[in-house]
Each structure stands twice: as structure tokens, then as C-alpha cells.
Amino acid sequence: MLRLIGLKRSKGKLESAEFNEAYYLASQRQLVWRKFRRHRLAMSSLLVIIFLYSLAIFAEFFTINDYQKRHVKYAKAPPQALHFIDEAGNFHLVPFIYQLKQELDMETLRRNYTEDTSERFHLRFFVKGLPYKLLGILDTDIHLLGVDAPGVYFPFGTDELGRDLYSRTIVGARISLSIGFISVVISFCFGCLIGGISGYFGGKVDVVAQRVIEFIVSIPQLPLWMALSAALPPQWSSIQDYLAISTVLAVLSWPPLARAVRGKLLELREADFVMAARISNMGDYEIIVKHLLPSFASFLIVVLSLSVPGMILAETALSFLQIGIRPPAVSWGVLLQDAQNIRALSQSPWLLIPGLYVIVTVLSFNFLGDGLRDAADPYKQ
């Protein structure tokens, strides 16, 4: 018995030694990933972000109706509920919906919708619908969900023109999510480049760069956005407006990152590994790109992840104020324009559903950034 206990203890010590050896011999990337996986909230947020971007990329596949089509008979229709039990009390394995019936209140002239239990339509998967190009390449007409004609299904209800809010929210994710990513990438490149040059060379270059940054930071953003929006030619297409708004957001958001990169380079430019690179006749550009920036890459990744929600909120705010993306283009900010009217909102509270997507996206990016920040220093317990 004592011999068996001794064997177990020796085996445990051996496994512990192997774990410690694997831990301290692991690369920085492996250590960061190992610690990041333990952050359950960050991992869950990463899955949510992947799901949202999948919706945006394959938006046409996930839509149920044409997001631009007006269903006049169902203007301001509430979200339709899925049923498993019919009016006779019978259980159905496949969910179904009842067709909506519109009634006009002659006193308030308000449309009231009730379910017509005489018409029942089962929910179908991989149904044929409006033709589209998947990823802009493959011609298809297959959609994830749908109901058989003449039934119509509005999971999030409709707007005042009778357009399917669910389909418009899914399509709007494409602009709202991509504009944040594109703006952050442009801002990230500007910030790293200017901050790296300013911090590495110092002197007059640093003085000029810092004065430029201070000038940009001192400009009130909202009036500047309004001025730039007014300067956009009205004949521009939605794609041109999209690119212009992305550029504006990127140009105004790089100074904080440039200052952070400058501070890091001022701290590291006299380090031993930088001096060794200079002695080996390595150029200044290579030293900055191959040695200095990678030395605090984890910090840059955290800044990048935390900057995306700020860009999404900025686009949503601009479009909500009607100085950003313009209809007929669809984004979450454009959809929230219908919620500006208190009367319309009191009658149709489901118009705020795109705002819930904004909240979930911003929270997910913030939680992801927290997880990356904790994992950036894998040896810290």
C-alpha cells in the first residue's frame, strides 16, 4: 500500500515537472492563448463576435424577406410569435406562425394586428426565396428560414413602410460592423507609423508630430463631423458615403494610439536589443517594424480590439443624427432613425431592436479586450 502511494506521488511530481517545463518553454503566443482560454467571458464574447460577423458576411442567406420590399398591408406590424401548440391544443414538432390580420381602430385611426388562427404556416429551413449572389460570386436563392407562400414572417416586426426589420437589421450589420473594422485598421496604421517615427527619432520630428496630434485632438469632433457630412456631394452613392465616413472616423481616431506608441518607443529605443540591431547595420525602418513594434504587440492587439466598438458607436451616432450613412443604404444607425419619434416609439417599441445589436456588439468587444489585456501578460497570476 505504501509502495502504491509512493508511485502515485512520484508520478504526480513527474507530471508537474513536465507541465512546468512545457509552460516555461512555450512561446509567447502559446502562453497568451492558454491564459485567454481561461477567461470564459472573453471566450464567449469572441464566439458572439464571430457569429455577428458571420451574419454580416452571409446576410442574404440569413434574411427572410427582401429588406427593401414594402409590405403595405403590414406597416408597423409587431413581431410575430412562433407557436408549437395550435388553437385545438395539439402539439407540433415544427414551429408555425399565424397570419396577421389588420384592423383599423376608427377612434384612434391606429392599426391593430391580431393573429388569424384559420391560417397557419410552418417554419421551413433552407427555403427558396429572393435570388442573390452569395459572397458576390455564387448565384443562389436558398435562405436559412422562411414560410410557404402566401404567408409572411416578420420576427422583429416591420417599420412604418412595411419593411421587414429583421432582414434590415441583418443587412445593416454589414455596414456597421465593417465600417468599425476598416476605420480601426486605417487608424491603427496611421497611429503606429506616426507614433513610431515620433518616438524613435525624437527631436524636431517628435515636436512636429506632437503639435499635429494636439491640433487634431483639440478639434470638436461633432461639429467637424457635421461639417464634413455637409461637404459630401449629395450625388454620391451610398458606397462613396460609406468610404468617406470610414476615412473620416479613421483620420480623427489615430492620435491617442500614436501617443501610446510614442511612449512605448521612448521607453524601448535605448534597450539592449535595439542597440544590437543598430550595431548590425539594420535600418531604422526595420528596427521599428521588426523589433520595437512586435515587442509590445500584445498591447497593440488590446488597443485594436477596444477601438472597434468606439468606431461602431461613432457610426451609429452619426447615422442616427442623419449626418452619416444615408438611406437607401442600411446600417444600425440608419435603422435607429425611425426611433427618434417618441410617438412612433411608443406605438412600435420593436424599432429599438437594432440598438440591442449595437449594445451586444460593443459589450462583446469590450469583454474581448479585457480578456486580451489579462492574457497579454501570461506570467502574471
Side-chain angles (χ1 to χ4, degrees), residues 10-74:
S10 61
K11 184 178 180 181
K13 291 181 180 179
L14 181 61
E15 291 177 351
S16 178
E18 291 176 353
F19 173 79
N20 290 332
E21 183 179 2
Y23 180 78
Y24 289 108
L25 292 179
S27 65
Q28 180 78 3
R29 184 180 303 176
Q30 291 173 329
L31 292 173
V32 169
W33 173 243
R34 181 180 298 173
K35 190 169 184 180
F36 178 76
R37 285 185 303 177
R38 299 180 195 165
H39 201 299
R40 295 184 179 179
L41 190 57
M43 284 296 296
S44 302
S45 300
L46 178 61
L47 295 178
V48 171
I49 292 172
I50 293 174
F51 172 72
L52 290 173
Y53 273 95
S54 299
L55 287 181
I57 294 172
F58 304 101
E60 292 86 359
F61 172 72
F62 289 104
T63 56
I64 295 178
N65 304 291
D66 182 0
Y67 73 99
Q68 295 284 31
K69 183 178 179 180
R70 301 182 180 184
H71 302 82
V72 181
K73 291 173 56 179
Y74 303 102

Side-chain angles (χ1 to χ4, degrees), residues 225-255:
W225 283 336
M226 296 176 67
L228 292 175
S229 176
L232 295 180
Q235 67 272 16
W236 274 14
S237 65
S238 57
I239 296 178
Q240 290 173 312
D241 288 340
Y242 168 79
L243 295 175
I245 295 299
S246 301
T247 304
V248 170
L249 293 176
V251 168
L252 295 177
S253 60
W254 62 265

Side-chain angles (χ1 to χ4, degrees), residues 153-169:
Y153 179 39
F154 306 119
F156 294 170
T158 62
D159 60 12
E160 59 182 5
L161 298 179
R163 295 171 297 190
D164 181 19
L165 187 59
Y166 167 79
S167 300
R168 291 175 65 79
T169 302

Side-chain angles (χ1 to χ4, degrees), residues 348-363:
S348 309
W350 53 86
L351 295 177
L352 282 176
I353 290 179
L356 297 179
Y357 276 75
V358 176
I359 294 173
V360 170
T361 303
V362 171
L363 287 177

Side-chain angles (χ1 to χ4, degrees), residues 65-313:
N65 304 291
D66 182 0
Y67 73 99
Q68 295 284 31
K69 183 178 179 180
R70 301 182 180 184
H71 302 82
V72 181
K73 291 173 56 179
Y74 303 102
K76 290 187 177 181
Q80 290 177 266
L82 289 175
H83 299 274
F84 288 89
I85 301 177
D86 59 21
E87 64 281 2
N90 300 319
F91 177 79
H92 295 257
L93 186 61
V94 179
F96 62 89
I97 62 168
Y98 289 118
Q99 190 68 297
L100 292 177
K101 181 171 60 176
Q102 182 184 136
E103 298 176 351
L104 182 63
D105 190 337
M106 299 307 297
E107 294 184 0
T108 62
L109 297 180
R110 180 178 177 180
R111 298 185 184 94
N112 295 322
Y113 289 91
T114 58
E115 292 182 333
D116 185 2
T117 55
S118 63
E119 295 185 87
R120 188 170 63 236
F121 299 93
H122 287 275
L123 191 67
R124 307 293 183 188
F125 289 91
F126 304 105
V127 298
K128 291 187 176 182
L130 183 71
Y132 63 93
K133 284 184 175 291
L134 185 64
L135 297 176
I137 301 174
L138 181 62
D139 290 320
T140 181
D141 59 354
I142 302 298
H143 297 260
L144 178 63
L145 297 174
V147 295
D148 297 330
V152 288
Y153 179 39
F154 306 119
F156 294 170
T158 62
D159 60 12
E160 59 182 5
L161 298 179
R163 295 171 297 190
D164 181 19
L165 187 59
Y166 167 79
S167 300
R168 291 175 65 79
T169 302
I170 298 300
V171 174
R174 179 170 292 172
I175 288 182
S176 294
L177 294 178
S178 63
I179 201 171
F181 182 77
I182 293 174
S183 300
V184 165
V185 169
I186 298 174
S187 170
F188 183 78
C189 294
F190 268 101
C192 289
L193 177 63
I194 298 177
I197 293 175
S198 176
Y200 182 76
F201 291 102
K204 294 182 179 179
V205 175
D206 184 29
V207 172
V208 173
Q210 293 309 304
R211 299 298 82 76
V212 172
I213 290 174
E214 290 171 1
F215 173 75
I216 295 177
V217 172
S218 66
I219 300 175
Q221 290 192 354
L222 185 58
L224 181 61
W225 283 336
M226 296 176 67
L228 292 175
S229 176
L232 295 180
Q235 67 272 16
W236 274 14
S237 65
S238 57
I239 296 178
Q240 290 173 312
D241 288 340
Y242 168 79
L243 295 175
I245 295 299
S246 301
T247 304
V248 170
L249 293 176
V251 168
L252 295 177
S253 60
W254 62 265
L257 177 60
R259 282 184 167 176
V261 171
R262 171 184 175 269
K264 290 288 186 179
L265 261 68
L266 287 174
E267 178 184 350
L268 296 173
R269 68 180 181 179
E270 302 299 334
D272 293 339
F273 68 92
V274 178
M275 298 299 295
R278 287 175 182 167
I279 293 173
S280 62
N281 294 325
M282 183 173 289
D284 294 329
Y285 175 79
E286 291 181 302
I287 292 176
I288 295 174
V289 174
K290 293 184 178 180
H291 292 283
L292 288 173
L293 291 180
S295 65
F296 55 95
S298 57
F299 168 78
L300 296 177
I301 293 173
V302 172
V303 172
L304 193 65
S305 64
L306 293 176
S307 299
V308 175
M311 293 295 184
I312 295 175
L313 286 175

